[in-house]
Amino acid sequence: MIKGKRNKTKTSNVTPFIPEGDFYYTKGVEAFKKRKFDVAIKWIQKAIEDKPYFPLYKCQLSIIYTETGAYHKANQLLTEVLQTGEYVDCYYLAANNYAHLGLLQDAKKYAQMYLDKNPDGDFSDDAVQLLDFIEIEGEEEEEIFALEDEDELIILQETAFYHIENNEWEKAIPFIEEIMENFPDQKLAVHDYAQALFNTGKKEEAMHIEEDLLIDYPNNLHSHLNLALFYYETGDPDYQKHIQIVNNIYPMHEEQKLRIAEVFAKTANYALAYERYQNVSGEQAKRRASYYKWYSITAYQSGNPSKALRLWEEGLKRHPKLSEEEGPWTLNK
């Protein structure tokens, strides 16, 4: 009896180990430094669950998302932090993300806000360099709209892009329609709308949109690209006519280069696609999971399996959702 009582007393003095936010955060940072991004995300998310209003954790998670190219998710977190209180570093982190997205006006705005609020901060040199870069590159997006309208357009474009990139076409349609209605100068939205219609089963309507546009604008690159893909998917041999037209076009804009390469890949023109992918550069492409998917497929089909594997592995690090796919050796669309 005495022995049993002694054991009970000893056990009651043991303090159970209950991990807290700082423990999860430390584990997340360790995983991040080892570039184990999926593991790092899980640890930091647990830290946020423990301390949902602690800004450092959300900022660190946004940095991991930025590193993997998930700029949309990163900016959502930073916006949450700025809505609940002012954590000055968020302004630079947001500026960096917008620069990666090609939204130079917004990048400039947030970088300047960071310098105004903390001119001697940890990111001050980086913010100055970012502003210099924007100055050199030139402001491609002019301030056509009032600030409120510009912010609304950016949110709509980013949200639509997020759904399109994840093949969530039904979810993308309302945002594309709002862009078309409220910002008619954004001509590319019509082509996104045609893609969304085609991928939700309204194939004839999608083709009619692009065919009608070509009557008025016979040199419209995006109409030729969409029709090449639409005709190929529906078994219409006329897709080859549009492929031939596109193959004579060599644009300067990175987004257009990427779109041409992807359409060539999706229509099984792998030699053409491989040449075009080799001329695509910059983070703008790498923020897309589809870039890694179709470039790796193109490399594999072009007789470069080792390059295909390298691309696929890099894509998995930046876009963990790619693990749901079967790899470049399987042509799943």
Side-chain angles (χ1 to χ4, degrees):
M1 294 291 295
I2 296 174
K3 184 177 180 181
K5 188 174 182 180
R6 185 179 298 135
N7 282 345
K8 183 176 181 181
T9 304
K10 183 177 181 180
T11 303
S12 65
N13 290 330
V14 174
T15 302
F17 173 67
I18 303 176
E20 295 184 352
D22 289 344
F23 170 79
Y24 297 133
Y25 174 76
T26 301
K27 296 292 288 185
V29 171
E30 289 174 357
F32 174 69
K33 289 179 178 178
K34 296 176 182 176
R35 302 189 68 79
K36 297 180 179 179
F37 298 129
D38 53 341
V39 177
I41 288 171
K42 290 177 182 178
W43 280 118
I44 301 297
Q45 285 175 336
K46 290 179 72 69
I48 292 171
E49 290 173 8
D50 188 71
K51 295 181 181 179
Y53 301 108
F54 194 53
L56 176 62
Y57 296 166
K58 288 185 177 180
C59 286
Q60 181 60 50
L61 183 55
S62 80
I63 291 171
I64 299 172
Y65 281 143
T66 295
E67 188 70 18
T68 61
Y71 304 113
H72 177 82
K73 289 183 179 179
N75 278 348
Q76 280 185 324
L77 284 168
L78 296 173
T79 299
E80 288 177 14
V81 173
L82 290 173
Q83 286 175 343
T84 57
E86 188 164 85
Y87 192 73
V88 178
D89 287 354
C90 283
Y91 292 107
Y92 170 73
L93 297 176
N96 183 54
N97 286 337
Y98 281 121
H100 281 299
L101 289 166
L103 302 172
L104 299 185
Q105 284 292 333
D106 236 45
K108 179 180 179 181
K109 179 177 73 175
Y110 279 93
Q112 192 59 59
M113 288 173 70
Y114 174 79
L115 289 173
D116 290 343
K117 294 176 181 296
N118 194 6
D120 298 318
D122 292 337
F123 296 110
S124 58
D125 290 341
D126 296 313
V128 170
Q129 289 178 11
L130 180 56
L131 289 173
D132 288 342
F133 168 78
I134 294 171
E135 186 72 24
I136 292 170
E137 286 292 308
E139 298 177 355
E140 296 180 1
E141 299 176 22
E142 297 179 0
E143 293 181 347
I144 300 173
F145 309 104
L147 183 59
E148 294 80 6
D149 289 339
E150 186 181 4
D151 287 343
E152 181 186 356
L153 174 61
I154 290 170
I155 291 170
L156 289 171
Q157 288 176 326
E158 285 192 50
T159 306
F161 169 81
Y162 177 79
H163 291 309
I164 290 171
E165 182 65 9
N166 287 281
N167 294 316
E168 298 170 349
W169 297 101
E170 289 281 4
K171 293 180 180 179
I173 286 176
F175 297 100
I176 299 171
E177 288 178 332
E178 193 169 348
I179 294 171
M180 292 167 62
E181 180 179 353
N182 297 331
F183 304 93
D185 289 340
Q186 300 297 309
K187 304 297 185 183
L188 292 181
V190 177
H191 304 292
D192 290 336
Y193 185 60
Q195 286 189 74
L197 290 177
F198 188 87
N199 285 286
T200 52
K202 299 177 181 178
K203 297 183 178 182
E204 289 189 7
E205 184 179 350
M207 288 188 281
H208 286 324
I209 288 174
E210 296 294 8
E211 289 164 349
D212 289 343
L213 282 172
L214 272 185
I215 294 173
D216 295 326
Y217 306 99
N219 296 319
N220 190 297
L221 171 63
H222 293 278
S223 290
H224 286 295
L225 286 167
N226 273 354
L227 286 174
L229 192 55
F230 296 167
Y231 288 160
Y232 177 81
E233 292 286 344
T234 55
D236 188 333
D238 275 354
Y239 83 91
Q240 295 176 350
K241 175 180 67 177
H242 296 284
I243 290 293
Q244 289 171 1
I245 291 171
V246 172
N247 194 34
N248 291 319
I249 299 173
Y250 290 85
M252 298 293 293
H253 198 283
E254 290 298 319
E255 284 291 326
Q256 293 175 345
K257 291 180 183 179
L258 182 60
R259 177 72 175 141
I260 289 173
E262 186 172 306
V263 168
F264 282 164
K266 288 182 175 180
T267 56
N269 288 280
Y270 300 115
L272 299 179
Y274 192 72
E275 177 188 352
R276 297 304 182 109
Y277 271 122
Q278 289 180 305
N279 291 318
V280 172
S281 61
E283 289 297 318
Q284 192 75 355
K286 293 180 180 181
R287 73 187 181 101
R288 297 174 181 266
S290 56
Y291 164 78
Y292 289 101
K293 174 181 176 177
W294 288 102
Y295 192 5
S296 64
I297 288 173
T298 296
Y300 186 83
Q301 293 295 325
S302 300
N304 294 280
S306 59
K307 182 166 186 175
L309 183 59
R310 286 198 303 272
L311 284 165
W312 187 252
E313 289 176 343
E314 182 182 340
L316 287 173
K317 290 178 182 178
R318 286 178 172 263
H319 307 281
K321 193 173 181 179
L322 272 178
S323 60
E324 299 173 8
E325 309 263 355
E326 293 187 25
W329 40 87
T330 304
L331 292 179
N332 286 336
K333 297 174 185 178

